[in-house]
Amino acid sequence: VRAPGTQVYLIGAGPGASDLITLRAVRALARAEVVLIDDLVDRAVLAHCAVAVRIVAVGKRAGCRSTPQDFIQRLMLRYARQGRIVARLKGGDPLVFGRGGEEVDFLERHGIRVEVVSGLTAGLAVPAAIGIPVTHRQYAHGVILVTGHTRCGGEPDWAALARLRMTLVIYMGLSRIESIAAQLIAHGMRADAPSAAIEQGTSSAQRHIVAPLAGLALAAREARLEAPALIVVGDVVAFARASERLSPADRAAATI
Amino acid sequence: VRAPGTQVYLIGAGPGASDLITLRAVRALARAEVVLIDDLVDRAVLAHCAVAVRIVAVGKRAGCRSTPQDFIQRLMLRYARQGRIVARLKGGDPLVFGRGGEEVDFLERHGIRVEVVSGLTAGLAVPAAIGIPVTHRQYAHGVILVTGHTRCGGEPDWAALARLRMTLVIYMGLSRIESIAAQLIAHGMRADAPSAAIEQGTSSAQRHIVAPLAGLALAAREARLEAPALIVVGDVVAFARASERLSPADRAAATI
C-alpha cells in the first residue's frame, strides 16, 4: 500500500528573481529529500531546502533537438519509488510551456502521487517588471501566451493572433524574432505596434528593448539580446519603461 | 524631496489559497503601514503584516455598475502623501484584469513611487488545481486569457478565439456562460470541446464541473456554481479531475 502523501512536487520557481516563488513552493522544498533543478532556476531558492537534501541539476535548454526529458522523468520515478520525497523545480510555471503536463501524466501512470505547485509564469510577470500591464480596460481585453514555434516546425495562426488585438506574449521567440514580426505585420498587425523584447526578466541581469514592431528585430540585434527572452506586442507596451538597463558596452555595440 | 523608496506596493495575493502568495509579497506586507485589501483576498495573508498595521477593506465586486475605483485610488494617494508605506492587496495578479495598470498610472502621475508585486493569476493556477495543464505539446500550443465581456457590453472576437485552437480561459464569465458557449460553437468550436467551470479555485471552497462545451451551462446551473468562477475550454480540459468536490446537497440539487 502506497503512502497517501505527495511523492513528487512539480514546482514552479517563477520567472527569475528568487523571491518571486510562492510560500507553498518554499514549504515543498523544505520537505523534499531530492531536488531536481532546471538550468534556468536561480540557485538561491535552494536555501529553502533541508540541509541533507540531494540536489540534482537536470538542465536542458529549449529547442527541438533531443532533450533528456525521458531521462528526467525516469529519474523522478526512480527516486519516488525509493520512497524519497522529490521536488522538481522548474522555471516559471510547470504547466505553461514547461512540459509539466507530460511529467504529471507519466508519473501518475506509474502510480506516483504528484502535486503541482504553480509558479509565476514569465509571460505575465516579466512584462510587469518593465512596467507593462498585460491587460488594460482601455487597451487590451485579454492576453495570449504562445511560443514562437509549435512542436518543431509548425507556426501559430498569425492571422487570428493579429486579428484579436490582444496583448501577444511570445515565449522562446528571440531566434525567430524577424520572421515573427514579419508574419504579424503581413497578417494585419500595425507596423508601428508597440513591442518589446526582454532578456532574463526579473533577474538581476534583466535587459530590454522597446521598438515599433517593424523595428523590433533590429533593435534586439543591436542590443545583442540573448535567450532566454520574451517578446511582447500590443498597445499596452506603450507603458513600458525606456530601456535604461542597457550597459554602456551595449550602447557602444549598438552604434557600431 | 521625495524619499527614493517605494511608497505604494501593488500586490497580487494569488488565486485563493493563502500560501499561493510570493515571498516578495510577504516581505512587502511586512513593511506596509497601511494595507488596502480587496474582498476576494483570504484574510489569512494579513498574518504577514506588522502588528501596528492599519487594515482597510476596499472590496468591490466585479460588474459594470459604478465602483469605488476612484475612491480607492485617492485613498492610496492620501496615505502615501502622509508618508506611510501602503500595500494594495488584490486577488490574482494586479495587472491581469485587476485594473492595476490604471492604479499605477494614477499614482505615478501624482509623483508616487509604485512597485508592482506580481501574483499568480487565477487563469493559470486554477486550471492547475483541478489537473489541467493550460499548455501541452500535443494539445495546446498556447493559452488565451480573456474576460467574458469587454468594458460594459462589448464582446471578444469569438470567431478568432475559436479559430486559434488554444486553451481558452474566461474570467468573470459565469453569468454569461450560456451565451459564451453558444458563441464559441456558432463560430466553429466543437460542441463537444472539453470544458470546465471552477468556483473559488484553489480555496477550501473550490468546486468544479466538467462537461462538453454544449452542456457546460446546464452543468454549471445544475451544480449551482457561483461567482467568482473561471471557465476553461480546450482539449487540455480532458486532463481535469472528475468533479468530486460537489457536496451531497449539490448533488441532490442537481437531480431536482
Side-chain angles (χ1 to χ4, degrees), chain A residues 166-170 180 184 189-190 193-196 213 216 231-237:
Chain A
M166 291 176 179
T167 305
L168 187 56
V169 178
I170 303 163
I180 288 168
L184 285 171
M189 207 173 266
R190 284 165 27 220
S195 307
L213 183 54
L216 186 68
I231 298 169
V232 189
V233 183
D235 289 341
V236 291
V237 178

Side-chain angles (χ1 to χ4, degrees), chain B residues 126-132 167-171 173-174 177 180-181 184 189 192-199 207-217 219-220 225 229-243:
Chain B
V126 165
I130 65 164
I132 300 173
T167 305
L168 187 56
V169 177
I170 303 163
Y171 291 63
L174 189 64
I177 192 167
I180 289 168
L184 285 170
M189 205 172 267
D192 65 348
S195 306
I198 309 121
E199 174 184 328
R207 300 191 311 144
H208 77 277
I209 53 111
V210 176
L213 184 54
L216 186 68
L225 286 195
L230 200 73
I231 298 170
V232 189
V233 183
D235 289 341
V236 291
V237 178
F239 288 96
R241 283 191 284 280
S243 40

Side-chain angles (χ1 to χ4, degrees), chain A:
Chain A
V1 179
R2 208 172 289 285
T6 296
Q7 297 170 278
V8 176
Y9 291 97
L10 206 57
I11 303 174
S18 61
D19 62 346
L20 289 177
I21 193 169
T22 66
L23 286 186
R24 187 177 292 181
V26 166
R27 287 165 189 165
L29 282 176
R31 288 196 61 210
E33 292 160 313
V34 181
V35 175
L36 280 65
I37 184 167
D38 268 8
D39 265 351
L40 297 177
V41 177
D42 186 336
R43 267 48 189 168
V45 301
L46 296 175
H48 304 295
C49 296
V51 174
V53 72
R54 173 164 190 170
I55 308 291
V56 184
V58 292
K60 59 186 176 78
R61 291 290 177 173
C64 281
R65 57 217 150 87
S66 110
T67 66
Q69 180 70 24
D70 288 347
F71 172 77
I72 294 170
Q73 292 182 175
R74 283 199 302 270
L75 199 61
M76 285 193 281
L77 181 60
R78 198 179 75 193
Y79 285 124
R81 282 184 167 163
Q82 287 171 0
R84 307 211 221 181
I85 297 176
V86 180
R88 166 97 158 101
L89 199 49
K90 300 163 88 85
D93 182 294
L95 302 182
V96 181
F97 307 121
R99 303 190 67 172
E102 291 165 65
E103 294 177 13
V104 171
D105 200 39
F106 171 84
L107 291 166
E108 288 186 344
R109 275 189 287 107
H110 285 84
I112 303 297
R113 205 178 152 110
V114 186
E115 184 178 330
V116 174
V117 181
S118 297
L120 287 182
T121 190
L124 305 179
V126 166
I130 64 163
I132 301 174
V134 288
T135 72
H136 192 292
R137 278 158 62 96
Q138 268 180 276
Y139 305 103
H141 297 298
V143 54
I144 306 171
L145 311 180
V146 290
T147 52
H149 54 86
T150 63
R151 215 176 174 184
C152 302
E155 293 266 346
D157 183 340
W158 297 115
L161 290 173
R163 185 173 137 186
L164 273 167
R165 304 181 57 84
M166 291 176 179
T167 305
L168 187 56
V169 178
I170 303 163
Y171 291 64
M172 297 173 270
L174 189 64
S175 64
R176 300 186 54 247
I177 192 167
E178 202 131 28
S179 148
I180 288 168
Q183 291 274 7
L184 285 171
I185 292 169
H187 286 97
M189 207 173 266
R190 284 165 27 220
D192 65 348
S195 307
I198 310 123
E199 173 184 329
Q200 295 197 53
T202 80
S203 81
S204 57
Q206 173 181 304
R207 299 191 312 144
H208 78 277
I209 52 108
V210 176
L213 183 54
L216 186 68
L218 181 64
R221 198 163 56 236
E222 285 183 342
R224 303 189 176 182
L225 286 195
E226 288 179 18
L230 199 73
I231 298 169
V232 189
V233 183
D235 289 341
V236 291
V237 178
F239 289 96
R241 282 191 284 279
S243 39
E244 77 286 4
R245 294 209 186 217
L246 298 187
S247 70
D250 294 322
R251 290 185 196 285
T255 60
I256 289 168

